[in-house]
Amino acid sequence: KILNVRIVFMFIKVFDEEHELDLEKKVNEFLDHFQTEDIIDIKYSVATLYDGRSQVYCYSCLIMIKD
């Protein structure tokens, strides 16, 4: 029996910033070190919280890269 098996080794990098533009800058600087084909996936999320005084934002990005 012949099986087609593809094993991909990867690592992840997580970014978390309070400001969207700060996240964008850090992610772009990080991605500059990799080829497009090395990027497996990118996940993005935004969370908000009201602490009784102000609205707090959390912008996050998880990047999966071939190792």
Side-chain angles (χ1 to χ4, degrees):
K1 197 179 214 183
I2 298 175
L3 297 174
N4 288 331
V5 177
R6 181 177 170 202
I7 298 174
V8 176
F9 293 97
M10 67 177 168
F11 70 95
I12 63 166
K13 178 71 174 173
V14 177
F15 295 89
D16 180 46
E17 295 293 333
E18 291 182 19
H19 301 284
E20 188 174 14
L21 292 177
D22 293 339
L23 178 67
E24 182 180 318
K25 181 180 179 191
K26 288 191 176 181
V27 168
N28 284 332
E29 288 173 354
F30 177 77
L31 291 176
D32 278 344
H33 302 293
F34 300 95
Q35 300 294 318
T36 303
E37 58 270 9
D38 292 333
I39 301 167
I40 297 169
D41 199 3
I42 298 175
K43 305 290 186 187
Y44 174 78
S45 73
V46 178
T48 61
L49 169 73
Y50 182 69
D51 68 0
R53 296 174 306 207
S54 63
Q55 188 82 19
V56 178
Y57 291 89
C58 176
Y59 298 93
S60 302
C61 184
L62 179 139
I63 304 172
M64 291 174 254
I65 304 286
K66 289 181 187 175
D67 194 13

